[in-house]
Amino acid sequence: GLYNGALDDAAYVATIIQLAEMRGGRGFRRPVVFAAVTGEEKGLLGSYWLADHPTPNAPLPVAVLNLDQLRPLYPLTILTTLAVDDTSLGQTAREIASEMGIEVRPDMEPERNLLRRTDHWPFMQKGVPGISFIFGFDPGTPAEEAYRQWYRTRYHTPLDDMTTPIDRKAAGDFNRFYRTLVQRVAAADSRPTWTPGSPLAPR
């Protein structure tokens, strides 16, 4: 069957296209590279290739702000953030989220190993601070049920399509968060740094 991929990951390819279009040709203080890579499910093939083949116009970045199937199925009040405590990107994310009334939390399911299964990871292995996001929830709530139900019925199936009951306001809220994050990181005087003592920090 055809795996439509509406939330995994067309929605967030659209987010970065929209962000680029909104700039109207105006650059950021730091160069920003928009990349949509392939082969994640085959072992992060596209992101490993990109990390291994920097060019003069796209050298190894100072940060990777990764997007991957966030699932805006309910209001955005909690934002699970991978590697939130490992680099200064986590503090920047917390500051922006706080301004929006969103609580940032670390990965509540580390046993799923999501940190190493998505496209920031090849860059983090090269010492580049990275961050990624998932809509969070409190256990035992309707939000958790919506999250689990999507995985049971739509994840990697033809039903990952536009019949998904997307919370449009939540999707818009996240996109505003992400645009602000990109702008703030790109405009900062200094590059993101690793948290001292992080087990992920380059040695």
Side-chain angles (χ1 to χ4, degrees), residues 44 48 115-125 200:
L44 309 179
Y48 270 114
L115 179 68
R116 292 167 173 79
R117 287 172 46 201
T118 191
D119 289 306
H120 52 250
W121 184 241
F123 293 92
M124 294 180 77
Q125 289 183 293
L200 302 178

Side-chain angles (χ1 to χ4, degrees), residues 3 41 52 80 85 113 128 150 185 187:
Y3 290 10
E41 299 290 348
D52 288 338
T80 298
D85 295 319
N113 203 26
V128 178
W150 189 87
V185 171

Side-chain angles (χ1 to χ4, degrees), residues 1-6 8 155-160:
L2 175 65
Y3 290 10
N4 293 297
D8 184 17
Y155 180 58
H156 285 182
T157 78
L159 292 178
D160 183 7

Side-chain angles (χ1 to χ4, degrees), residues 7 16 20 51 56-57 62 64 110 115-116 139 147-148 151 161 194:
L7 292 186
I16 61 173
N57 291 327
V62 302
V64 174
L115 179 68
R116 292 167 173 79
Y147 178 97
R148 305 291 185 199
Y151 261 110
D161 62 16
W194 288 88

